[in-house]
Structure formats: structure tokens, C-alpha cells
Amino acid sequence: MIKGSCCCGAISFELSEPPSMMGVCHCTRCRKVGASTFVFVRGDSFRWISGQDMVQRYKAIPPYKYDRCFCPLCGTALGEPGAGDSFPINANCLDDDPQIQVRFHEFVAEMPSWERISDEAPQFAGHPVKTST
Ligand SMILES: [Zn+2]
Ligand SMILES: [Zn+2]
């Protein structure tokens, strides 16, 4: 079981299995909300423990697809928990090590000049292009 929570602890959840994938989005939007590093989790492996009714939602404006959920008390970005069969959540909310590594970097074209990527995962200017790996 992998547990996760916001900074103040009002909102918490658990995953019954490790996330399927980890990625980093360098777009201005993800950087501003503080959820650049995310993991994808399966809907049926995700369970709220506390604070579900507190979760606030910043609605996605097209072309963006995912709403941004956050804790109204401490401001922690949660990602998009509870959105369908598979959804991204903020990797920084995980209290336990998910035992996976970053698989890709997306929207590196929007990276500020001071930001550095320190792993070997493939980089994409925009959305990742599917590869055979
Ligand atoms: Zn909180
Ligand atoms: Zn992004």
C-alpha cells in the first residue's frame, strides 16, 4: 500500500498498487501549480482516506484536459485524483516511495533557462510521442 497526502494532512489517500508511470511536465501551467512530477494511477487502485469533500478544483481550460485539484488549507497540488480509469496525481504527494523512475519529460520547450534535467529519460518538446519501448 502506498499512502499519499497534502502538506497539512487534511487530505489523504492510498494506492493499492504502484503507479504505472512517472513523468515530468515542464509546461508553465504544471510548474505554476507545483505538480510538474506526476504519476499515473489506475482508478480502481486509488482510495480516499480523508478530506475528499474538501478538495478544490481549478477547471481545465481547453486545450488542457485535466482539472487541477488542490487542498484549500495548505494549497498542495494533488493532480487530478478520481478522474476516470487512469489519472495523474502529483508525485510529491506520495508519502511512500512508489519504486518507479521518471519515464519521460514533456513540454521541455517551455522550460526556463535555469531549469536542469538530471536524468536520462527521453525529452519531448510537447506531448510525448509514443515509442516502442
Ligand atoms: Zn492540506
Ligand atoms: Zn504541464
Side-chain angles (χ1 to χ4, degrees):
M1 205 67 90
I2 295 172
K3 286 204 160 65
S5 59
C6 65
C7 183
C8 75
I11 294 169
S12 59
F13 57 87
E14 64 184 14
L15 308 175
S16 60
E17 64 180 24
S20 58
M21 184 172 62
M22 178 182 281
V24 183
C25 181
H26 299 271
C27 83
T28 55
R29 191 167 173 265
C30 287
R31 288 190 288 109
K32 283 190 175 176
V33 299
S36 287
T37 306
F38 55 86
V39 291
F40 266 93
V41 302
R42 281 160 41 100
D44 57 8
S45 73
F46 180 92
R47 192 176 75 81
W48 293 106
I49 296 173
S50 65
Q52 179 182 6
D53 54 353
M54 293 174 50
V55 173
Q56 296 295 302
R57 189 170 285 270
Y58 165 57
K59 280 270 171 218
I61 298 163
Y64 297 110
K65 182 165 69 161
Y66 292 109
D67 291 352
R68 299 304 180 132
C69 297
F70 60 96
C71 172
L73 297 181
C74 67
T76 298
L78 302 165
E80 177 62 334
D85 294 341
S86 175
F87 45 79
I89 60 172
N90 185 359
N92 289 304
C93 290
L94 299 176
D95 296 311
D96 300 306
D97 191 333
Q99 306 285 352
I100 57 173
Q101 301 295 316
V102 171
R103 190 93 65 80
F104 63 89
H105 293 267
E106 63 180 2
F107 290 94
V108 296
E110 295 184 27
M111 269 173 61
S113 65
W114 46 260
E115 199 176 334
R116 295 286 178 274
I117 291 173
S118 60
D119 60 51
E120 302 302 316
Q123 301 176 17
F124 301 94
H127 282 296
V129 181
K130 278 247 186 285
T131 60
S132 55
T133 52

